[in-house]
Amino acid sequence: MSVSVLIVDDHPSFRASARMLLESEGYDVVGEAADGAGALLEVERLSPDVVLLDIGLPDLDGFEVTNRLAGNGPAVVLTSSREGCDYGTLAEGSGARGFITKSELSGSALRALLP
Amino acid sequence: MTSLRRALLLLGFVGLVGGAVPLMLAPASDHVDSKTVSMVFLPLIGWAFIGTGLFAWWRRPENRFGALMAAVGFTWCIGGLWMANEPGLFIVGMLFGAVPYGFLVHMLLAFPRGVLEGRLATGTVVAVYFVTTVMQLAWVLTYDTTRDECGCPPNPILLWDNQGVSDVIAGAQSAIGLLAVVALILALYRRWNGVGSVQRRGLTPVIFTGAVLSADLGLTLAADLAGVSGPVEEAVDIAGLSLLASVPFAFLIGLLSTRMSRAGAVGDLVTRLADAPRRGELRDALARALGDDSLMLAYWMPGSAGYRDVHGHAVQLPPPDAHRAVSHVDHDGRRVATIVYDATVVEEDPGLVDAVGSAAALALENERLDAELRARVEEVRNSRMRLIEVGMAERRGLERNLHDGAQQRLVSLALTLRTARLRLEGHEDGASELLDGAEQELNMAISELRELARGIHPAVLSDRGLPAALESLAGRSPVPVEVGSVPDERLPEPVELAAYYVISEALANVVKYADASYARVDVVRENGHVLVEVADDGVGGADPARGTGLRGLEDRLGALEGRLAVESRPGLGTRVKARIPCG
């Protein structure tokens, strides 16, 4: 059974290209959200296995959304067009499974972070 | 000769003649008991009031005080006609007998401006005028002047000979007059308490005389009500006349003492100015000279068409009102400063403010130049700050545009290429290699763009604050960097950004020149400042004058009134310190 993914990013072009790539690698992209509040609603509604979560969202940022999803929620993988080191130790301490720079996103990179 | 002066001289001549009337009438009068007293006091009082009143009128034509004082003297002379044996003149004298007291009370309460202030003063004057004119007329119309067998001529305007009515009117006049005297004393006491020491010096004789005279009038009226007669009544009369005669001279003494105090105040001021007062002391010296602690000094800035205080800060003059007066000080035909002061100062002595302003004009010009310099420095500082803020905003906007625009499109393109390569697997014809090459080029372009954006503006600093931004700097540094203490709270953006760039530049220098194995960054808040320190264990010997990096930082810090220091002795590492004000 394929892994279900929710893509959260405020840039439609990234959501579209990430959906195409992940679906090509066998993931089931079950939904998309453009901001933090939408992400929380879609997680509640769709219960995805993985949330690919952009850090720079227009309302709540990715760290705040991760914090709210902590517990028995889905695995969160943070992403950004900036590098992980730009955020210092924030990504490590956020409770997310890991961080992937957007330009390096691939199914295998995502799989490497999942259990 | 001006028309006013001619008119006053004419009035003076009339007064001279009028004052002599008692001298002519008293000796022949059939009904005057104390002829000597009348011949001494009555002309003296008339001439004193007319003379000093006309003098004050001439000196301050806009002030009604002189006219009131002259009116006391003229009506006093007309009142002297009561000594005439001819019934017509006698009754005119009777009608005017009390009028001078109306003008006298008005004059005392209107001193020094010539206008009445407050309901107590106005009500008192209205009451006294009513008693001395309307009630006096009513009394004369009902009083038979031959009734008391005093030898007085008959009353030619006696309408209704009724002793009961005339006694009631006279009693009412005395009672209202007594109340008015009490009100006069109260009003003078309030006036005395309400002025500063400089003005009080000028007020003292008049207030004192007025108060004593009021008390004496009160005694006279009380004696009338109580029916006192004989030597006691005469003694009270003489005391009252003596005090009345002293009032105009008290006014002259008051005027003289004001002039002396003005000369003293200006002399003191000149002495203080000779001691080269420090900034702000000039205002204090002027306040002392004018006896007005609330004095405000504003310097005129010709370029900006506005006022500044001694520190160069913009100030607004208070709107003009009855209590604050404004006087401009010019020097060499140009406005230098404006003095805002308590209006009672100019009421008391109109020339004092001009005299003080003239004495201090040069010192004011010096302090104005100092204030102008400070204002310009502040403007330059503000302008530099605005330029930095505009620059910050533009760089932030540029970074955001790169991030949201070109970077996102390139990222999407990279992912699309990767998808295309996946879908080509199995039927390639060498296309996969081409796509790999394109993807590598694209990733390099994305990486370079990312570096460019990061150099333009550290977005993580704006988004997450200094701790995260410093962790980011430390994480990217090839030399191990320990981030020590950093304030958790957000600092003002220019301060945060200046601290960030100091640390970023210092760490870049550590990598380039220090040959260090370790660096440490600390940011602490202390006494209204942010202290930044970047220390390494490298070779030291750094020259702050070399290169433009640290010099550029000095400019940025300078706009914030910050300072940069570099300690870098050979072999002992380098320590870069910045101190940035942060209220």
Side-chain angles (χ1 to χ4, degrees):
Chain A
M1 192 175 147
S2 58
V3 177
S4 60
V5 180
L6 172 70
I7 300 173
V8 183
D9 196 293
D10 53 331
H11 296 99
S13 62
F14 175 79
R15 292 202 303 270
S17 53
R19 172 188 278 271
M20 196 164 57
L21 175 66
L22 293 179
E23 284 179 345
S24 296
E25 294 202 68
Y27 288 87
D28 178 17
V29 178
V30 293
E32 296 177 14
D35 55 31
L40 295 173
L41 286 174
E42 290 298 275
V43 167
E44 185 74 29
R45 190 172 70 85
L46 302 170
S47 301
D49 300 320
V50 178
V51 179
L52 182 65
L53 180 60
D54 184 30
I55 291 176
L57 295 172
D59 52 352
L60 309 169
D61 70 16
F63 301 117
E64 180 62 30
V65 175
T66 306
N67 191 39
R68 295 197 189 184
L69 291 176
N72 295 323
V76 175
V77 174
L78 292 168
T79 186
S80 170
S81 55
R82 299 187 182 103
E83 290 183 305
C85 65
D86 276 332
Y87 297 100
T89 55
L90 287 171
E92 293 164 24
S94 66
R97 289 277 181 184
F99 175 90
I100 302 174
T101 303
K102 278 184 182 177
S103 60
E104 290 167 5
L105 178 66
S106 67
S108 54
L110 191 59
R111 200 168 296 115
L113 295 174
L114 299 179
Chain B
M1 189 184 286
T2 63
S3 57
L4 174 68
R5 198 169 177 184
R6 270 198 301 272
L8 293 178
L9 279 174
L10 183 63
L11 280 175
F13 178 73
V14 172
L16 194 64
V17 174
V21 167
L23 290 175
M24 295 182 283
L25 296 179
S29 176
D30 297 333
H31 52 280
V32 175
D33 295 331
S34 319
K35 290 187 175 164
T36 311
V37 170
S38 299
M39 288 174 69
V40 171
F41 279 103
L42 301 191
L44 180 65
I45 291 171
W47 284 330
F49 273 96
I50 291 171
T52 49
L54 294 180
F55 176 70
W57 196 343
W58 171 53
R59 290 303 305 272
R60 300 186 195 167
E62 75 291 346
N63 190 325
R64 255 187 273 164
F65 183 79
L68 284 169
M69 186 173 254
V72 174
F74 280 113
T75 51
W76 181 265
C77 291
I78 298 171
L81 292 173
W82 76 274
M83 291 184 288
N85 293 326
E86 199 281 317
L89 291 177
F90 165 74
I91 212 64
V92 170
M94 292 290 281
L95 283 170
F96 276 81
V99 176
Y101 294 98
F103 284 118
L104 182 64
V105 169
H106 188 171
M107 184 195 89
L108 288 171
L109 286 174
F111 184 79
R113 288 177 63 198
V115 294
L116 297 169
E117 281 182 11
R119 286 194 302 192
L120 178 64
T122 308
T124 303
V125 169
V126 168
V128 172
Y129 277 135
F130 182 74
V131 168
T132 56
T133 56
V134 178
M135 291 184 78
Q136 182 76 2
L137 174 64
W139 177 70
V140 169
L141 291 174
T142 57
Y143 179 65
D144 179 4
T145 52
T146 59
R147 184 194 303 154
D148 296 333
E149 296 177 355
C150 61
C152 296
N155 182 351
I157 57 169
L158 180 64
L159 278 185
W160 182 27
D161 181 8
N162 187 323
Q163 185 172 359
V165 171
S166 69
D167 285 350
V168 166
I169 293 172
Q173 279 182 288
S174 298
I176 297 173
L178 196 58
L179 284 175
V181 164
V182 172
L184 172 65
I185 292 169
L186 185 62
L188 290 177
Y189 175 74
R190 280 190 188 169
R191 171 72 64 81
W192 172 256
N193 268 342
V195 298
S197 58
V198 169
Q199 292 90 345
R200 195 175 278 185
R201 262 182 285 174
L203 275 178
T204 306
V206 173
I207 296 275
F208 176 77
T209 310
V212 173
L213 177 64
S214 303
D216 182 71
L217 281 172
L219 280 175
T220 306
L221 291 170
D224 284 352
L225 285 173
V228 174
S229 61
V232 177
E233 186 186 18
E234 193 171 342
V236 169
D237 283 347
I238 291 175
L241 290 170
S242 305
L243 282 165
L244 191 57
S246 72
V247 168
F249 298 104
F251 171 73
L252 276 181
I253 291 169
L255 191 67
L256 193 62
S257 96
T258 303
R259 288 186 159 201
M260 285 168 64
S261 68
R262 179 203 297 186
V266 175
D268 287 349
L269 177 64
V270 170
T271 307
R272 283 178 207 286
L273 295 181
D275 294 338
R278 285 175 299 187
R279 195 179 331 129
E281 287 183 352
L282 186 53
R283 190 217 76 90
D284 297 344
L286 294 181
R288 200 171 294 119
L290 295 183
D292 175 16
D293 289 340
S294 68
L295 179 141
M296 173 189 166
L297 201 51
Y299 294 98
W300 177 249
M301 300 289 139
S304 61
Y307 285 98
R308 301 272 173 162
D309 67 9
V310 66
H311 303 292
H313 301 142
V315 290
Q316 291 284 331
L317 294 184
D321 60 32
H323 303 289
R324 304 294 290 167
V326 166
S327 180
H328 302 299
V329 179
D330 294 337
H331 182 64
D332 283 346
R334 288 183 299 112
R335 183 178 299 177
V336 173
T338 294
I339 305 172
V340 184
Y341 54 95
D342 193 316
T344 57
V345 173
V346 75
E347 288 159 9
E348 182 60 28
D349 185 356
L352 179 60
V353 181
D354 288 342
V356 163
S358 299
L362 187 59
L364 285 168
E365 170 66 359
N366 285 340
E367 197 157 272
R368 189 197 72 78
L369 289 170
D370 190 42
E372 186 174 10
L373 184 63
R374 288 175 187 284
R376 289 192 191 284
V377 168
E378 188 183 320
E379 278 167 18
V380 168
R381 188 183 298 130
N382 290 340
S383 162
R384 194 156 64 153
M385 197 64 218
R386 280 196 298 275
L387 281 175
I388 285 186
E389 282 172 359
V390 167
M392 279 189 323
E394 285 180 350
R395 291 170 75 118
R396 195 167 51 239
L398 192 56
E399 193 276 343
R400 176 58 58 187
N401 286 342
L402 282 176
H403 175 78
D404 288 341
Q407 265 184 306
Q408 298 303 325
R409 290 181 196 287
L410 292 178
V411 163
S412 295
L413 185 58
L415 298 190
T416 305
L417 281 176
R418 198 165 297 149
T419 306
R421 187 161 51 80
L422 282 171
R423 292 185 182 176
L424 274 172
E425 275 176 4
H427 26 60
E428 300 184 354
D429 295 334
S432 183
E433 286 75 15
L434 287 174
L435 287 176
D436 278 348
E439 203 178 343
Q440 276 181 12
E441 285 296 317
L442 193 54
N443 279 336
M444 282 175 66
I446 290 171
S447 181
E448 285 171 7
L449 194 59
R450 190 186 295 132
E451 284 300 315
L452 179 66
R454 191 188 285 141
I456 289 170
H457 180 78
V460 65
L461 179 68
S462 306
D463 296 345
R464 309 293 308 179
L466 204 50
L470 296 188
E471 287 293 347
S472 166
L473 276 179
R476 290 201 307 275
S477 172
V479 175
V481 175
E482 180 186 354
V483 178
S485 52
V486 181
D488 287 330
E489 72 275 16
R490 295 302 298 259
L491 305 173
E493 191 184 8
V495 175
E496 230 171 31
L497 209 52
Y500 175 87
Y501 279 120
V502 166
I503 294 164
S504 173
E505 184 64 25
L507 288 179
N509 286 345
V510 169
V511 174
K512 279 190 233 171
Y513 309 116
D515 193 20
S517 64
Y518 166 83
R520 179 185 164 95
V521 173
D522 287 285
V523 180
V524 293
R525 293 188 79 160
E526 191 177 287
N527 297 330
H529 288 75
V530 168
L531 307 180
V532 176
E533 183 172 302
V534 180
D536 68 54
D537 61 352
V539 295
D543 180 5
R546 189 183 61 199
T548 57
L550 285 178
R551 273 215 301 270
L553 287 177
E554 277 184 328
D555 285 344
R556 180 182 284 275
L557 290 172
L560 301 172
E561 302 282 286
R563 295 285 178 271
L564 187 72
V566 178
E567 297 169 9
S568 187
R569 290 165 62 190
L572 294 175
T574 299
R575 199 174 289 268
V576 175
K577 293 179 178 179
R579 182 180 171 84
I580 311 165
C582 178

